Amino acid sequence: NLCDAVVVPSKAVEQLLRSYGVHRTIEVIPTGLELDSWYMKENPAFPRIPLGIPSDASILTYVGRLAIEKNVQMLLFSFRKLLEKITNVYLLFVGSGPQEEELKELAAELGVRDKCRFLGFVGREKVRECLAASDIFLFPSKTETQGLVMAEALAMGVPVVAADSFGARETIRVGIDGFILPAEPDAFANVVEKLLGNKEKLNKMKEEALKGAKRFSAKESARKLLNLYERLINKKYKSE
């Protein structure tokens, strides 16, 4: 409360600070993405060839920590239901964490291990290549306060299907570039099935994802921050 203003990356953090008794100006400015150097077209050499994914198969992708708080296991139950309807589809897990081996064992128990690819930790360039090859980005976490990884997917032109969370609500335009759902296997499987079965709708959402992601650009975040400084400076001079 000694500050002239506080900058936070999401409304969820703003609400948290308000609950702590912060009454100063709070400006929500998302972490900006360098969009000019982020987008790329699919690289035919990766991830399909080394991971044994056919060129005509659909790819679903999760990027993030493999830990229980991310609710990643729900994706495997959902994927099993999806494979009952659509078989030419693969699920990528890009990231590592304490639940990795457990998830691999669960995938085997559910009979979907042959359609799952666990990449472990990879560098940013490989993350970009995985997203560029993806048809839909899946994000099951219910506790995200900032949707940075979802914004990165959108900026690659990949629609997002996510569990309801503060981050998802601030990132996804429902029905335009993604969907926000209950964190339940049936809900995820049904929406993904419908999208993969309607290429016209899916392609339209890919276009909208790419266009809408401009609001997450580093340039836009810098513009908002500069505007905040100017308002504070003008306010200070007027008070003097």
Side-chain angles (χ1 to χ4, degrees), residues 8-232:
V8 298
S10 67
K11 290 185 182 296
V13 179
E14 177 187 10
Q15 292 173 9
L16 181 64
L17 292 182
R18 293 298 186 201
S19 73
Y20 290 164
V22 176
H23 54 74
R24 287 289 191 174
T25 296
I26 297 179
E27 196 82 4
V28 178
I29 302 178
T31 303
L33 302 176
E34 294 290 348
L35 297 184
D36 293 341
S37 59
W38 179 249
Y39 177 79
M40 67 182 298
K41 293 185 177 180
E42 180 176 356
N43 176 3
F46 187 88
R48 290 185 185 270
I49 292 176
L51 297 181
I53 300 175
S55 60
D56 63 342
S58 298
I59 295 179
L60 312 175
T61 299
Y62 165 83
V63 176
R65 181 171 161 81
L66 301 182
I68 193 165
E69 69 271 11
K70 296 296 186 179
N71 196 33
V72 186
Q73 64 277 2
M74 188 277 291
L75 291 183
L76 290 172
F77 288 98
S78 176
F79 192 48
R80 179 177 64 174
K81 291 180 177 295
L82 177 66
L83 287 173
E84 294 173 359
K85 305 289 182 62
I86 300 175
T87 57
N88 196 23
V89 59
Y90 290 75
L91 176 57
L92 305 188
F93 292 93
V94 183
S96 60
Q99 207 182 14
E100 185 170 351
E101 293 306 315
E102 179 185 334
L103 290 169
K104 290 178 180 178
E105 292 173 5
L106 178 59
E109 291 172 11
L110 295 175
V112 301
R113 185 66 181 86
D114 64 321
K115 291 297 186 75
C116 293
R117 300 291 185 268
F118 291 86
L119 281 74
F121 176 81
V122 300
R124 294 286 286 172
E125 192 64 21
K126 292 299 182 186
V127 171
R128 290 177 67 214
E129 290 179 319
C130 287
L131 289 175
S134 302
D135 291 285
I136 301 171
F137 184 79
L138 304 179
F139 203 70
S141 174
K142 299 177 286 184
T143 58
E144 296 302 303
T145 57
Q146 185 183 9
L148 187 58
V149 69
M150 289 180 273
E152 289 178 338
L154 294 173
M156 196 62 76
V158 184
V160 177
V161 175
D164 191 10
S165 68
F166 285 112
R169 288 178 220 156
E170 293 185 34
T171 307
I172 297 168
R173 297 175 297 161
V174 176
I176 299 173
D177 55 21
F179 292 94
I180 299 174
L181 307 171
E184 299 170 358
D186 284 337
F188 269 63
N190 290 340
V191 167
V192 171
E193 179 196 353
K194 289 177 181 177
L195 281 177
L196 293 180
N198 187 342
K199 293 299 182 183
E200 183 178 348
K201 171 70 172 176
L202 182 58
N203 288 335
K204 178 63 176 175
M205 294 188 81
K206 289 181 178 181
E207 293 175 5
E208 290 294 337
L210 202 54
K211 288 192 293 186
K214 292 177 181 178
R215 68 191 188 278
F216 302 117
S217 72
K219 290 179 180 179
E220 179 63 13
S221 294
R223 185 193 64 77
K224 290 179 179 178
L225 188 59
L226 180 60
N227 180 264
L228 172 62
Y229 275 118
E230 289 175 342
R231 295 199 325 264
L232 292 174

